[in-house]
Every structure is written in structure tokens, then in C-alpha cells.
Amino acid sequence: MIEALRLEFMQNAVTAAVLASVVLGVVGSLVVVNREVLVGGGIAHASYGGVGLGFLLGLDPAVTAMLFGVVAAVIMGVLRRYVRQRNDTLIGMLWAVGMSLGVVFVQLTPGYTANARSFLFGSLLSIPRGDLPLLGAVAAVLVGFVVLYYRPLLVHSFDRDFALSRNLPVFPLELVLLAAIALAVVVLIQLVGVVLLIALLTIPAATAGLFTRTLASMMTATVAVGVLVTLGGLSASYTFDLPSGPAVVLTACVVFIVVRGVFLPMRGLMSTPLADRSGCRSDSNGGDPSR
Amino acid sequence: MSPRANAVTLTGVRAGYGATPVLSETNLTLASGECLAVTGPNGGGKSTLLGLLVGLLRPFTGQVEIHGSSPRRARGRIGYLPQAARLDLEFPLTVRDLTAMGRLRSTWLPQRLRAADRAAVADLLRWVGLAELAARPVAALSTGQRRRVLLARALATEPDLLVLDEPEAGIDAESAERLQQLLSSLIGSMTVVVASHDIEGIATLATCGVTVDHGLTPWSGNGGQDEPSRGVGDPPDETDGRFPEHAGAIGGSV
């Protein structure tokens, strides 16, 4: 595996995996704490319409997927605010329409379009060096945004009504958050593809959430977990000649199960007041050790 | 003696969710410094009334004014303690970070906590008796402790009007008593509106009260004084306690 790092395609894959982990850290954590996992899946699948459009028009599918994803995210945000319709219904429609458009556009594209399949399941080992600056730029924009707007994002994510009562720009924050998910999609789509993206957007952040106390530490830990699972999956893919996307997702699942097994019983003990453990609850969630 | 300015004025308000009205033709005037208890059955409109005051809901018709401005304009002067049931207790958040949310200013620009903000947060956590738990995750607190942190967050906004939605819900009698002691020390320093199912507790705290059941029926509070308060649902009495100053202005129709 170490020798393989001398190969350019492997260097590209490792760089992309690290950049993707940074994106996972900031956006995946926000997706998980905002309970927007389904939205992440919806935007990811809608962006496949952009992939198909890129093939049809002869443009870079990564760029058109990003633009398509951002437009889909903004449409979703506006519809959620102004159209009285169940949230999951809107997401499901956007999900299916985007995928359908992608398939139709690819079908209409003349010539050989086998590369379109790599956007469905990812192809970490075939990421061209030319795509890395775009991935780096997206990661830098997302990290910069989260660093600058961490506190408003924290309030909005935890208690939307309180954010409204403080006159914070809640609707713009929601739109930007959806656009951030769309930008994350363009990075992650190259690793695991549209179909498996929802797993990578969720599992590393959920893993980090098992042992962190703040959103900031959850984001940092998610980057570390992301590096572990993407490089672990990449290594498994190279060593056992497996498809890279599924290898990364399966590695993420294994890491989640192990970390949950290690931390959750310990976390339960640490966070449960003594009164709870003795069966003497003073109210619905235990005693009051400060008294 | 000059009359105190009105902190809250509702005039002919009709409000609800979607197209369904929950409150109809509601009028309310509350002077600065008063503590208004809001009681009533589930679904009667308590949270609707509070949502109007905080600016989370807009009335179908009529007008809501907080210190002479719309609730939206007055948001910087309103502290809000929402119902605990609506919050995600698994959220990765420490007691200190939760309290510090109250120090956020209303701006589109990026903002960071200043030294004065951190000092204010530390003071408030000391006041609610949770300074030692500042670094603890909110999920690890008892329900009573969580209510006190949320009270600290609401006060961190330095409000003129404090709006509390069922602060005693789900906590044991001892924690409720401690919370009530904290609230009673606030009476007079700011205007307080508190919705509660704990009719006895809230009656000893409040200077006036309304029962909300699709409209408002006034009753008088005790304001922490020794005399027993009037029963909830009793007809308004313009000569009882501190209520007369604005008794004529509180009313509603179903």
C-alpha cells in the first residue's frame, strides 16, 4: 500500500479523501444535528440531473452537478418555507425528479457515457488531478463559512424558535445550509457516488457524535473519522480489488459499530447521575448534583 | 404618580395556525414590571399567545405591540424560554454554550463571544446555581437543571420582557420551588409573562393573570405577597391587589 502511494492516481485518491473528510466534518455534522439526512440524500440524488446535463452539453459533470445541486437546494428551501406540503414529500419528489432527469440526459447523450456510472457509485481511484483544485476550493469555502457563522449556526440548529426570537437571519441560514450540503455533494459524489453518498454524509458524523460534547468538537472529530474511513476504505479497495465507494461506506459502518460498542456504555455511565443509577430519580431525568 | 408605560398591548387580535383561529378578538394590556400568569387548558391558546408576544406568530388581524413596537422590532428586548419538549436533548452542546446563545446579537455579520459576554454567562450560571456544571453536556443534566440553564439563556439577552413557556413542566416539586425562587427575584425588575399548568405556584408569583381558552379571562395574582391569591377563573375585580392598574384593559372574547 505504501508503495502504491508513488502512483499518481493513488496520490490523487488520498488527497481527495482528505479533502472530502474536511467537508464531511463541517457539513456532515450539521446534517446530522439538524436531522437533515433525508435532505442530504435528496440533494445528492437531485444533483445527478446535473451530471447528466454535463454529459449532454459536453461540460464538466462535477461542475454541472454542483450547480444543479445548489439550485435544487435553494428550490427545496423556498418550497419548504412557502408551500404547504409535507417535508418528506417535497424531498422525495426532488430526489426522484433529479435522478430521472439525469438518466434521461445520459440516455440522450450521443456516444460512450460509461463514465456516468462512476457518479452513481463513486470512483475514488480514478479522480483526475484536475478535479482536486475544485474539491479544495469547495472545502475551503465550507470551512470558512462554518468558522465565521459557527454561533448563529449553532443556535439555529439547536433551537430555531430562539434564533427567530433573537432576530437572527434564520431563512438565509437555512438556504445557505442547504447550499452547503449541495457543495458537499459535489466533493463526496466522486468518492462514493450519488447512491451511497447519504451514508458517508451521515455515518462519520454520527460516529463522532458518540464521544463529543460540542458541535465544534464533533466537527473536528468527524474530520478524523472521515480520514480514517476513507483511507481505510481506499486501502481495502486497493488491497482486495473492491469497488472503492462501497469499501469506504462499509468501513464507515464497521467503525461506527466499534465506536458505539466502546463509547456508548461508557457514555451512559458517565452522563447518568448517581441518583439515577440507584433508582432514586428526583425528576424525569435524574437528580440535581449541584444542589 | 405617573402611570407606567405599557410593556405589552394586544388590540383586537385574532390568531392561530394555518387558517384555523385559536385566539379571537383578544385584547390585553400589561404594564411594565408586571408578572402576568397565563393559564388554561391544552389547546386553549397559551402557546399561541406567547408566540405572538415573541414574534414567532403573526396575528390574522389586530395588532401586537411590545413597548410600542412590533414584536419583530422589539425582539432584541425579549427573553424567551421555550417548552423543553421541543428541544433536541441529544444535541452536542455544553451548559456554557447553551447559555451563551443568549448573547448573540441580531446581525447578518459573523460574531464571536467577547470577554463581556463570557463574564455575563458565568454570572448567570452562578445565579442559577450551575456554574460548576458549565462544561457539562446539556444532555447530562436533570430536567430541572435544564430549565434553569434555559432561564439563564433567556436572561442573557438582557430582556425588558421575559416570556416563559411552561418553565415548571416535567420537573419535581423541589426543582420547581427552586425555579420559582429564581423567578420571584426577577419580579419588578422586568416584565414577565409565564404560561403554566402549575396554577397554585404561578398564582403566588404573578401580579395578574389570564386564563386562555380561545379568548382571555382575567384573574388577579398575588405578586409574592402573603395574602392568598384569587382563584383562577374568578371574575376580574378592579379593586383587588395590583391588578386594578390595568384590569380594565385585560379582557377577551370568545
Side-chain angles (χ1 to χ4, degrees):
Chain A
M1 180 68 190
I2 299 295
E3 287 176 8
L5 289 174
R6 293 184 187 146
L7 303 169
E8 183 179 325
F9 76 87
M10 191 57 94
Q11 291 168 1
N12 296 344
V14 170
T15 307
V18 172
L19 290 173
S21 301
V22 173
V23 170
L24 280 179
V26 292
V27 179
S29 300
L30 287 170
V31 165
V32 168
V33 298
N34 278 281
R35 298 173 188 260
E36 296 279 34
V37 174
L38 197 58
V39 170
I43 292 174
H45 284 74
S47 69
Y48 191 68
V51 172
L53 193 63
F55 278 103
L56 183 63
L57 300 179
L59 302 172
D60 183 349
V63 174
T64 50
M66 179 173 70
L67 296 175
F68 213 86
V70 170
V71 170
V74 171
I75 289 173
M76 188 179 293
V78 171
L79 289 178
R80 285 208 300 196
R81 182 176 170 89
Y82 294 108
V83 177
R84 289 191 66 198
Q85 186 61 260
R86 292 170 65 99
N87 200 25
D88 53 350
T89 305
L90 289 173
I91 294 167
M93 288 171 65
L94 204 66
W95 181 309
V97 168
M99 278 297 286
S100 302
L101 283 175
V103 172
V104 168
F105 288 151
V106 169
Q107 183 69 30
L108 292 175
T109 302
Y112 184 67
T113 56
N115 277 348
R117 192 173 181 278
S118 70
F119 285 90
L120 283 177
F121 297 102
S123 182
L124 186 52
L125 291 171
S126 60
I127 289 178
R129 179 150 291 205
D131 280 4
L132 296 180
L134 176 66
L135 303 190
V138 169
V141 165
L142 291 174
V143 170
F145 165 68
V146 169
V147 167
L148 288 174
Y149 285 92
Y150 177 76
R151 296 232 160 247
L153 283 168
L154 180 69
V155 179
H156 168 268
S157 301
F158 178 68
D159 188 352
R160 188 177 182 275
D161 282 354
F162 187 79
L164 280 170
S165 78
R166 296 304 299 152
N167 236 5
L168 294 175
V170 168
F171 183 52
L173 276 175
E174 283 171 358
L175 287 184
V176 173
L177 184 57
L178 289 172
I181 295 173
L183 288 176
V185 161
V186 77
V187 174
L188 303 178
I189 206 172
Q190 313 226 20
L191 268 72
V192 292
V194 167
V195 175
L196 299 177
L197 193 146
I198 193 169
L200 201 54
L201 204 56
T202 312
I203 299 171
T207 306
L210 292 171
F211 58 88
T212 50
R213 292 182 165 199
T214 67
L215 182 58
S217 60
M218 181 178 176
M219 288 176 171
T220 309
T222 303
V223 173
V225 173
V227 169
L228 177 69
V229 301
T230 52
L231 295 186
L234 183 64
S235 176
S237 169
Y238 181 81
T239 306
F240 302 110
D241 194 22
L242 300 171
S244 59
V248 168
V249 169
L250 290 173
T251 305
C253 281
V254 169
V255 170
F256 175 79
I257 290 166
V258 169
V259 172
R260 188 179 166 86
V262 169
F263 278 96
L264 211 60
M266 197 185 299
R267 187 185 178 199
L269 282 176
M270 284 193 300
S271 63
T272 306
L274 285 171
D276 265 6
R277 277 179 265 160
S278 64
C280 304
R281 292 167 70 104
S282 65
D283 62 28
S284 63
N285 192 35
D288 186 346
S290 72
R291 289 180 66 95
Chain B
M1 186 178 141
S2 62
R4 282 175 292 170
N6 286 333
V8 174
T9 309
L10 271 69
T11 312
V13 166
R14 190 169 157 270
Y17 305 92
T20 311
V22 179
L23 294 175
S24 51
E25 283 305 314
T26 301
N27 300 298
L28 170 69
T29 305
L30 185 65
S32 292
E34 296 285 353
C35 176
L36 174 71
V38 179
T39 58
N42 286 334
K46 294 193 299 296
S47 292
T48 305
L49 176 63
L50 268 50
L52 287 167
L53 300 182
V54 180
L56 298 177
L57 279 178
R58 290 184 181 172
F60 299 156
T61 57
Q63 198 170 15
V64 180
E65 286 186 331
I66 308 296
H67 293 290
S69 306
S70 70
R72 192 178 170 82
R73 281 182 179 276
R75 275 172 175 172
R77 304 171 67 184
I78 303 171
Y80 177 49
L81 190 155
Q83 283 185 24
R86 297 213 311 266
L87 302 177
D88 177 7
L89 298 176
E90 289 302 310
F91 198 99
L93 188 69
T94 63
V95 169
R96 184 183 291 116
D97 281 346
L98 176 55
T99 310
M101 288 180 183
R103 302 301 294 178
L104 270 183
R105 296 168 296 283
S106 171
T107 175
W108 286 60
L109 298 174
Q111 48 185 314
R112 292 191 160 277
L113 281 185
R114 297 168 296 190
D117 296 324
R118 282 190 281 271
V121 167
D123 285 347
L124 281 165
L125 286 178
R126 209 170 297 121
W127 184 71
V128 297
L130 295 173
E132 291 174 6
L133 305 181
R136 183 174 283 209
V138 173
L141 299 183
S142 72
T143 311
Q145 288 171 330
R146 275 186 220 130
R147 302 310 283 165
R148 280 189 272 146
V149 182
L150 289 171
L151 176 63
R153 180 183 71 167
L155 292 171
T157 63
E158 299 181 354
D160 295 325
L161 171 64
L162 183 63
V163 178
L164 311 170
D165 198 351
E166 299 186 10
E168 84 298 338
I171 63 179
D172 63 289
E174 198 178 355
S175 296
E177 188 183 335
R178 185 164 192 190
L179 188 64
Q180 195 161 331
Q181 285 170 359
L182 291 172
L183 292 177
S184 65
S185 67
L186 297 172
I187 304 301
S189 61
M190 63 186 70
T191 311
V192 179
V193 176
V194 51
S196 178
H197 285 293
D198 177 17
I199 296 170
E200 277 187 27
I202 201 67
T204 58
L205 194 70
T207 55
C208 52
V210 287
T211 300
V212 184
D213 191 3
H214 303 291
L216 307 187
T217 306
W219 50 277
S220 64
N222 193 37
Q225 298 169 24
D226 292 330
E227 296 81 12
S229 65
R230 293 178 57 85
V232 176
D234 284 358
D237 182 340
E238 297 191 8
T239 63
D240 186 27
R242 298 172 66 183
F243 188 47
E245 289 180 30
H246 48 271
I250 297 185
S253 60
V254 181

